Short mmCIF file of all heavy atoms in Angstrom, two decimals:
data_model
loop_
_atom_site.label_atom_id
_atom_site.label_comp_id
_atom_site.label_asym_id
_atom_site.label_seq_id
_atom_site.Cartn_x
_atom_site.Cartn_y
_atom_site.Cartn_z
N GLY Y 1 2.28 8.81 -2.84
CA GLY Y 1 2.10 9.67 -1.68
C GLY Y 1 0.72 10.30 -1.59
O GLY Y 1 0.55 11.34 -0.96
N VAL Y 2 -0.26 9.64 -2.22
CA VAL Y 2 -1.62 10.18 -2.25
C VAL Y 2 -2.38 9.62 -1.04
O VAL Y 2 -3.13 8.66 -1.13
CB VAL Y 2 -2.33 9.84 -3.58
CG1 VAL Y 2 -3.58 10.68 -3.74
CG2 VAL Y 2 -1.41 10.03 -4.77
N ARG Y 3 -2.17 10.26 0.10
CA ARG Y 3 -2.68 9.76 1.39
C ARG Y 3 -4.19 9.62 1.42
O ARG Y 3 -4.71 8.62 1.91
CB ARG Y 3 -2.23 10.67 2.52
CG ARG Y 3 -0.76 10.62 2.80
CD ARG Y 3 -0.38 11.71 3.81
NE ARG Y 3 1.04 11.78 4.02
CZ ARG Y 3 1.87 12.48 3.25
NH1 ARG Y 3 1.41 13.18 2.25
NH2 ARG Y 3 3.16 12.50 3.51
N ASN Y 4 -4.90 10.63 0.94
CA ASN Y 4 -6.37 10.58 1.02
C ASN Y 4 -6.93 9.44 0.17
O ASN Y 4 -7.89 8.78 0.55
CB ASN Y 4 -7.00 11.92 0.65
CG ASN Y 4 -6.67 12.38 -0.76
OD1 ASN Y 4 -5.67 11.97 -1.35
ND2 ASN Y 4 -7.50 13.24 -1.31
N ILE Y 5 -6.31 9.19 -0.97
CA ILE Y 5 -6.76 8.09 -1.82
C ILE Y 5 -6.39 6.75 -1.19
O ILE Y 5 -7.20 5.82 -1.19
CB ILE Y 5 -6.22 8.24 -3.25
CG1 ILE Y 5 -6.93 9.43 -3.92
CG2 ILE Y 5 -6.38 6.95 -4.04
CD1 ILE Y 5 -6.49 9.73 -5.33
N LEU Y 6 -5.20 6.65 -0.65
CA LEU Y 6 -4.81 5.41 0.02
C LEU Y 6 -5.77 5.11 1.17
O LEU Y 6 -6.20 3.97 1.35
CB LEU Y 6 -3.37 5.50 0.54
CG LEU Y 6 -2.86 4.26 1.28
CD1 LEU Y 6 -2.88 3.02 0.39
CD2 LEU Y 6 -1.47 4.52 1.85
N ARG Y 7 -6.14 6.12 1.93
CA ARG Y 7 -7.08 5.94 3.04
C ARG Y 7 -8.41 5.37 2.54
O ARG Y 7 -8.96 4.43 3.13
CB ARG Y 7 -7.30 7.28 3.75
CG ARG Y 7 -8.04 7.17 5.06
CD ARG Y 7 -8.08 8.51 5.81
NE ARG Y 7 -6.75 8.93 6.23
CZ ARG Y 7 -6.05 9.95 5.68
NH1 ARG Y 7 -6.56 10.65 4.70
NH2 ARG Y 7 -4.85 10.24 6.13
N GLU Y 8 -8.91 5.90 1.42
CA GLU Y 8 -10.16 5.40 0.84
C GLU Y 8 -10.02 3.95 0.38
O GLU Y 8 -10.89 3.13 0.63
CB GLU Y 8 -10.59 6.27 -0.35
CG GLU Y 8 -11.21 7.58 0.04
CD GLU Y 8 -12.46 7.43 0.89
OE1 GLU Y 8 -13.35 6.66 0.51
OE2 GLU Y 8 -12.52 8.08 1.94
N ILE Y 9 -8.93 3.66 -0.28
CA ILE Y 9 -8.70 2.31 -0.78
C ILE Y 9 -8.62 1.31 0.37
O ILE Y 9 -9.22 0.23 0.31
CB ILE Y 9 -7.42 2.26 -1.64
CG1 ILE Y 9 -7.63 3.04 -2.95
CG2 ILE Y 9 -7.00 0.82 -1.93
CD1 ILE Y 9 -6.36 3.27 -3.74
N LEU Y 10 -7.91 1.68 1.42
CA LEU Y 10 -7.73 0.75 2.54
C LEU Y 10 -9.00 0.52 3.34
O LEU Y 10 -9.07 -0.43 4.13
CB LEU Y 10 -6.57 1.20 3.43
CG LEU Y 10 -5.19 1.08 2.79
CD1 LEU Y 10 -4.12 1.59 3.73
CD2 LEU Y 10 -4.90 -0.35 2.34
N LYS Y 11 -10.03 1.32 3.13
CA LYS Y 11 -11.33 1.04 3.74
C LYS Y 11 -11.89 -0.28 3.21
O LYS Y 11 -12.74 -0.90 3.84
CB LYS Y 11 -12.33 2.17 3.46
CG LYS Y 11 -12.04 3.44 4.22
CD LYS Y 11 -13.04 4.52 3.86
CE LYS Y 11 -12.73 5.82 4.57
NZ LYS Y 11 -13.68 6.89 4.16
N GLU Y 12 -11.41 -0.70 2.04
CA GLU Y 12 -11.86 -1.95 1.43
C GLU Y 12 -10.76 -3.03 1.48
O GLU Y 12 -10.73 -3.95 0.67
CB GLU Y 12 -12.27 -1.69 -0.03
CG GLU Y 12 -13.36 -0.66 -0.18
CD GLU Y 12 -14.66 -1.04 0.51
OE1 GLU Y 12 -14.89 -2.23 0.77
OE2 GLU Y 12 -15.46 -0.13 0.77
N ALA Y 13 -9.87 -2.90 2.45
CA ALA Y 13 -8.72 -3.82 2.54
C ALA Y 13 -9.13 -5.27 2.71
O ALA Y 13 -8.34 -6.18 2.43
CB ALA Y 13 -7.80 -3.39 3.68
N HIS Y 14 -10.37 -5.53 3.12
CA HIS Y 14 -10.84 -6.91 3.25
C HIS Y 14 -10.79 -7.63 1.91
O HIS Y 14 -10.70 -8.87 1.87
CB HIS Y 14 -12.27 -6.94 3.80
CG HIS Y 14 -13.25 -6.24 2.91
ND1 HIS Y 14 -13.94 -6.87 1.91
CD2 HIS Y 14 -13.61 -4.93 2.86
CE1 HIS Y 14 -14.71 -5.99 1.28
NE2 HIS Y 14 -14.53 -4.80 1.84
N ALA Y 15 -10.79 -6.89 0.80
CA ALA Y 15 -10.76 -7.50 -0.54
C ALA Y 15 -9.36 -7.51 -1.14
O ALA Y 15 -9.16 -8.00 -2.25
CB ALA Y 15 -11.71 -6.74 -1.47
N LEU Y 16 -8.38 -6.99 -0.42
CA LEU Y 16 -7.02 -6.84 -0.95
C LEU Y 16 -6.21 -8.13 -0.87
O LEU Y 16 -6.25 -8.83 0.14
CB LEU Y 16 -6.30 -5.73 -0.16
CG LEU Y 16 -4.85 -5.44 -0.55
CD1 LEU Y 16 -4.75 -5.01 -2.01
CD2 LEU Y 16 -4.28 -4.38 0.36
N ASP Y 17 -5.48 -8.39 -1.92
CA ASP Y 17 -4.50 -9.49 -1.93
C ASP Y 17 -3.21 -8.95 -1.32
O ASP Y 17 -2.39 -8.36 -2.01
CB ASP Y 17 -4.27 -9.99 -3.35
CG ASP Y 17 -3.19 -11.05 -3.43
OD1 ASP Y 17 -2.69 -11.51 -2.38
OD2 ASP Y 17 -2.82 -11.42 -4.57
N PHE Y 18 -3.04 -9.13 -0.02
CA PHE Y 18 -1.87 -8.62 0.69
C PHE Y 18 -0.59 -9.34 0.29
O PHE Y 18 0.50 -8.86 0.56
CB PHE Y 18 -2.06 -8.71 2.20
CG PHE Y 18 -2.93 -7.64 2.77
CD1 PHE Y 18 -4.30 -7.83 2.91
CD2 PHE Y 18 -2.39 -6.43 3.17
CE1 PHE Y 18 -5.10 -6.84 3.44
CE2 PHE Y 18 -3.19 -5.43 3.70
CZ PHE Y 18 -4.54 -5.63 3.84
N SER Y 19 -0.70 -10.48 -0.34
CA SER Y 19 0.49 -11.24 -0.73
C SER Y 19 1.07 -10.76 -2.07
O SER Y 19 2.16 -11.20 -2.45
CB SER Y 19 0.18 -12.73 -0.81
OG SER Y 19 -0.74 -12.99 -1.86
N HIS Y 20 0.40 -9.86 -2.76
CA HIS Y 20 0.87 -9.39 -4.07
C HIS Y 20 2.22 -8.70 -3.96
O HIS Y 20 2.45 -7.89 -3.06
CB HIS Y 20 -0.14 -8.42 -4.70
CG HIS Y 20 0.38 -7.82 -5.97
ND1 HIS Y 20 0.45 -8.54 -7.14
CD2 HIS Y 20 0.88 -6.59 -6.23
CE1 HIS Y 20 0.98 -7.75 -8.08
NE2 HIS Y 20 1.25 -6.57 -7.55
N LYS Y 21 3.09 -9.04 -4.88
CA LYS Y 21 4.40 -8.38 -5.00
C LYS Y 21 4.60 -7.99 -6.46
O LYS Y 21 4.19 -8.73 -7.36
CB LYS Y 21 5.53 -9.31 -4.56
CG LYS Y 21 5.47 -9.64 -3.08
CD LYS Y 21 6.62 -10.52 -2.66
CE LYS Y 21 6.49 -10.81 -1.17
NZ LYS Y 21 7.56 -11.65 -0.67
N ASN Y 22 5.25 -6.86 -6.67
CA ASN Y 22 5.55 -6.47 -8.05
C ASN Y 22 6.77 -7.24 -8.53
O ASN Y 22 7.32 -8.07 -7.80
CB ASN Y 22 5.72 -4.94 -8.17
CG ASN Y 22 7.01 -4.42 -7.56
OD1 ASN Y 22 7.75 -5.14 -6.90
ND2 ASN Y 22 7.27 -3.15 -7.77
N SER Y 23 7.22 -6.97 -9.74
CA SER Y 23 8.32 -7.73 -10.32
C SER Y 23 9.64 -7.52 -9.57
O SER Y 23 10.55 -8.34 -9.68
CB SER Y 23 8.51 -7.37 -11.80
OG SER Y 23 8.79 -5.99 -11.93
N ASP Y 24 9.74 -6.46 -8.79
CA ASP Y 24 10.93 -6.23 -7.97
C ASP Y 24 10.83 -6.93 -6.61
O ASP Y 24 11.73 -6.80 -5.78
CB ASP Y 24 11.15 -4.72 -7.74
CG ASP Y 24 11.51 -3.99 -9.02
OD1 ASP Y 24 12.18 -4.59 -9.89
OD2 ASP Y 24 11.13 -2.81 -9.15
N GLY Y 25 9.71 -7.61 -6.37
CA GLY Y 25 9.52 -8.32 -5.12
C GLY Y 25 9.01 -7.46 -3.98
O GLY Y 25 9.04 -7.87 -2.83
N HIS Y 26 8.53 -6.25 -4.30
CA HIS Y 26 8.01 -5.36 -3.27
C HIS Y 26 6.53 -5.61 -3.01
O HIS Y 26 5.75 -5.67 -3.94
CB HIS Y 26 8.20 -3.89 -3.68
CG HIS Y 26 9.63 -3.50 -3.83
ND1 HIS Y 26 10.06 -2.62 -4.78
CD2 HIS Y 26 10.73 -3.88 -3.15
CE1 HIS Y 26 11.36 -2.46 -4.67
NE2 HIS Y 26 11.80 -3.21 -3.69
N ASP Y 27 6.18 -5.73 -1.74
CA ASP Y 27 4.78 -5.82 -1.36
C ASP Y 27 4.31 -4.44 -0.90
O ASP Y 27 5.07 -3.46 -0.94
CB ASP Y 27 4.57 -6.88 -0.28
CG ASP Y 27 5.31 -6.59 1.02
OD1 ASP Y 27 5.88 -5.49 1.19
OD2 ASP Y 27 5.30 -7.47 1.90
N LEU Y 28 3.08 -4.35 -0.47
CA LEU Y 28 2.50 -3.07 -0.06
C LEU Y 28 3.30 -2.43 1.07
O LEU Y 28 3.55 -1.22 1.06
CB LEU Y 28 1.04 -3.24 0.34
CG LEU Y 28 0.31 -2.00 0.86
CD1 LEU Y 28 0.34 -0.87 -0.16
CD2 LEU Y 28 -1.12 -2.36 1.22
N MET Y 29 3.72 -3.21 2.05
CA MET Y 29 4.47 -2.64 3.17
C MET Y 29 5.79 -2.04 2.69
O MET Y 29 6.17 -0.94 3.10
CB MET Y 29 4.72 -3.70 4.25
CG MET Y 29 5.46 -3.15 5.46
SD MET Y 29 4.68 -1.70 6.24
CE MET Y 29 3.27 -2.47 6.98
N MET Y 30 6.49 -2.73 1.80
CA MET Y 30 7.76 -2.21 1.29
C MET Y 30 7.53 -0.91 0.51
O MET Y 30 8.29 0.05 0.64
CB MET Y 30 8.45 -3.24 0.41
CG MET Y 30 9.74 -2.73 -0.21
SD MET Y 30 10.96 -2.16 1.00
CE MET Y 30 11.56 -3.72 1.61
N VAL Y 31 6.48 -0.89 -0.29
CA VAL Y 31 6.17 0.32 -1.06
C VAL Y 31 5.84 1.47 -0.10
O VAL Y 31 6.26 2.61 -0.31
CB VAL Y 31 5.03 0.08 -2.06
CG1 VAL Y 31 4.59 1.37 -2.72
CG2 VAL Y 31 5.46 -0.94 -3.11
N GLY Y 32 5.13 1.16 0.97
CA GLY Y 32 4.86 2.18 1.99
C GLY Y 32 6.15 2.73 2.59
O GLY Y 32 6.30 3.94 2.77
N MET Y 33 7.09 1.84 2.87
CA MET Y 33 8.37 2.28 3.42
C MET Y 33 9.13 3.15 2.41
O MET Y 33 9.77 4.13 2.79
CB MET Y 33 9.20 1.08 3.85
CG MET Y 33 8.67 0.42 5.08
SD MET Y 33 9.76 -0.92 5.58
CE MET Y 33 8.60 -2.01 6.35
N LEU Y 34 9.03 2.79 1.14
CA LEU Y 34 9.70 3.59 0.11
C LEU Y 34 9.11 5.00 0.01
O LEU Y 34 9.79 5.92 -0.44
CB LEU Y 34 9.61 2.88 -1.25
CG LEU Y 34 10.41 1.59 -1.39
CD1 LEU Y 34 10.08 0.89 -2.70
CD2 LEU Y 34 11.90 1.86 -1.28
N SER Y 35 7.86 5.15 0.44
CA SER Y 35 7.22 6.48 0.39
C SER Y 35 7.86 7.44 1.40
O SER Y 35 7.73 8.64 1.25
CB SER Y 35 5.72 6.37 0.69
OG SER Y 35 5.49 6.20 2.08
N ARG Y 36 8.48 6.88 2.42
CA ARG Y 36 9.11 7.65 3.50
C ARG Y 36 8.12 8.53 4.26
O ARG Y 36 8.50 9.53 4.85
CB ARG Y 36 10.27 8.49 2.96
CG ARG Y 36 11.38 7.65 2.41
CD ARG Y 36 12.55 8.46 2.03
NE ARG Y 36 13.61 7.57 1.58
CZ ARG Y 36 14.55 7.94 0.76
NH1 ARG Y 36 14.59 9.17 0.30
NH2 ARG Y 36 15.47 7.08 0.40
N SER Y 37 6.86 8.14 4.22
CA SER Y 37 5.82 8.87 4.94
C SER Y 37 5.35 8.01 6.10
O SER Y 37 4.79 6.93 5.88
CB SER Y 37 4.64 9.19 4.01
OG SER Y 37 3.50 9.55 4.77
N GLN Y 38 5.54 8.49 7.31
CA GLN Y 38 5.11 7.72 8.47
C GLN Y 38 3.60 7.53 8.48
O GLN Y 38 3.10 6.48 8.87
CB GLN Y 38 5.56 8.39 9.77
CG GLN Y 38 5.36 7.52 10.99
CD GLN Y 38 6.14 6.21 10.91
OE1 GLN Y 38 7.33 6.19 10.63
NE2 GLN Y 38 5.46 5.09 11.15
#
């Protein structure tokens, strides 16, 4: 839930592997949904 840090990281999203999933099969979008923060 560290919004300011996430914002900084996503400024470099061009370098992000969006296909990455953790061992539970969660990708970035799923983890975002789990945060329950719109």
Side-chain angles (χ1 to χ4, degrees):
V2 194
R3 291 172 186 85
N4 60 336
I5 290 179
L6 179 60
R7 191 173 295 108
E8 283 300 310
I9 291 169
L10 291 178
K11 288 179 182 177
E12 302 299 339
H14 61 91
L16 179 60
D17 175 7
F18 282 92
S19 66
H20 174 74
K21 294 182 180 180
N22 72 352
S23 60
D24 293 328
H26 296 145
D27 62 8
L28 177 58
M29 182 55 71
M30 177 57 76
V31 172
M33 288 184 210
L34 292 172
S35 77
R36 297 186 177 155
S37 164
Q38 190 60 50

